[in-house]
Amino acid sequence: WLFEARRRYGLSVLNYTVTSNHIHLLVHDQGREEIAPSMQLVAGRTAQEYNKRKNRKGAFWEDRYHATAIDKDQYLARCLVYIDLNMVRAGVVSHPSAWPDCGYQEIQNPPKRYRIIDIPALMAVLGIDTEEELHDRHNDWVETALAAAQSAREPCWSTSLAVGSSEYVEDIKRQLGISSRYRQVCSNGEYSFLRELSDSYKAHFEP
């Protein structure tokens, strides 16, 4: 269904990891309002197929999807690797290459058909000129993170409203206007993030 979302709506997927109970997606917002219908397609069809296969009814997903705006350059690369290491953090595999349902496999060995990852878009936002350079740098980032034991969970990537430089995060806060009134810009020394209020986040439920 991720492939179908790319085909139908032009969803530009930069990375992903599919687990047993959730997915992580890194997508490029192209300003065509393609993200919302893509998420509805993926979430809705997955739930329908699961319920049909298990002969059950009722809600499948615990909550609506949560979106975090990510800055470019090193912040985007860091988020890319964070998604790659999802199943390493979970203790399921020792290296992302051992998990079949993820973007790491596609970035390192792009399939000839049914590609989900938008390789040209990924290269463009990372400022990389060739696929060979992308493979090498991506592999180096992952191996460096593994060697430095950077597989610990960092909630800001999946719970914040924005992550990046202080200027970028402050700009996102300004764009959100009154809705960001009680949200705080924080920093961990490596990047800034706009903290989402947990009570507010849990209150937003949609079909």
Side-chain angles (χ1 to χ4, degrees):
W1 288 111
L2 284 175
F3 173 80
E4 187 64 19
R6 179 179 180 182
R7 189 184 70 83
R8 290 191 191 184
Y9 305 114
L11 182 69
S12 179
V13 179
L14 305 182
N15 202 7
Y16 70 94
T17 291
V18 179
T19 79
S20 61
N21 60 7
H22 67 280
I23 62 175
H24 287 276
L25 282 175
L26 181 60
V27 301
H28 181 207
D29 186 351
Q30 302 172 88
R32 300 196 303 245
E33 299 185 356
E34 71 277 11
I35 296 178
S38 295
M39 296 302 96
Q40 291 170 2
L41 174 70
V42 172
R45 291 304 179 90
T46 301
Q48 289 173 12
E49 291 187 1
Y50 182 84
N51 284 350
K52 182 177 181 180
R53 188 166 66 248
K54 296 295 184 178
N55 193 27
R56 67 184 291 274
K57 295 181 179 180
F60 175 80
W61 301 98
E62 178 184 3
D63 206 343
R64 61 171 292 184
Y65 76 91
H66 176 77
T68 301
I70 307 296
D71 202 354
K72 58 182 179 179
D73 300 328
Q74 71 267 28
Y75 309 105
L76 182 65
R78 181 69 177 268
C79 182
L80 187 80
V81 173
Y82 185 75
I83 292 175
D84 286 326
L85 299 184
N86 186 273
M87 299 311 289
V88 175
R89 287 192 298 276
V92 178
V93 296
S94 59
H95 194 279
S97 61
W99 186 252
D101 303 310
C102 65
Y104 177 89
Q105 304 285 3
E106 281 202 35
I107 296 172
Q108 290 299 316
N109 300 289
K112 294 182 179 180
R113 300 180 63 192
Y114 304 113
R115 290 190 184 188
I116 294 175
I117 299 293
D118 187 347
I119 296 294
L122 181 58
M123 291 168 54
V125 295
L126 289 173
I128 293 175
D129 297 323
T130 67
E131 288 195 28
E132 183 179 0
E133 182 186 358
L134 174 63
H135 301 161
D136 292 343
R137 293 182 64 179
H138 177 234
N139 183 66
D140 287 345
W141 292 333
V142 170
E143 297 302 325
T144 299
L146 288 171
Q150 290 180 356
S151 58
R153 186 170 182 269
E154 298 178 67
C156 65
W157 295 110
S158 55
T159 61
S160 302
L161 291 174
V163 179
S165 66
S166 59
E167 294 81 6
Y168 175 82
V169 174
E170 289 286 357
D171 184 57
I172 294 294
K173 184 177 181 179
R174 283 193 295 271
Q175 290 183 49
L176 289 172
I178 194 170
S179 65
S180 66
R181 181 179 177 185
Y182 299 108
R183 288 157 181 164
Q184 183 180 8
V185 175
C186 305
S187 175
N188 63 3
E190 295 183 77
Y191 43 77
S192 297
F193 54 95
L194 182 58
R195 178 176 291 172
E196 172 69 284
L197 300 178
S198 58
D199 292 341
S200 174
Y201 172 57
K202 289 298 182 181
H204 289 292
F205 290 97
E206 291 182 356

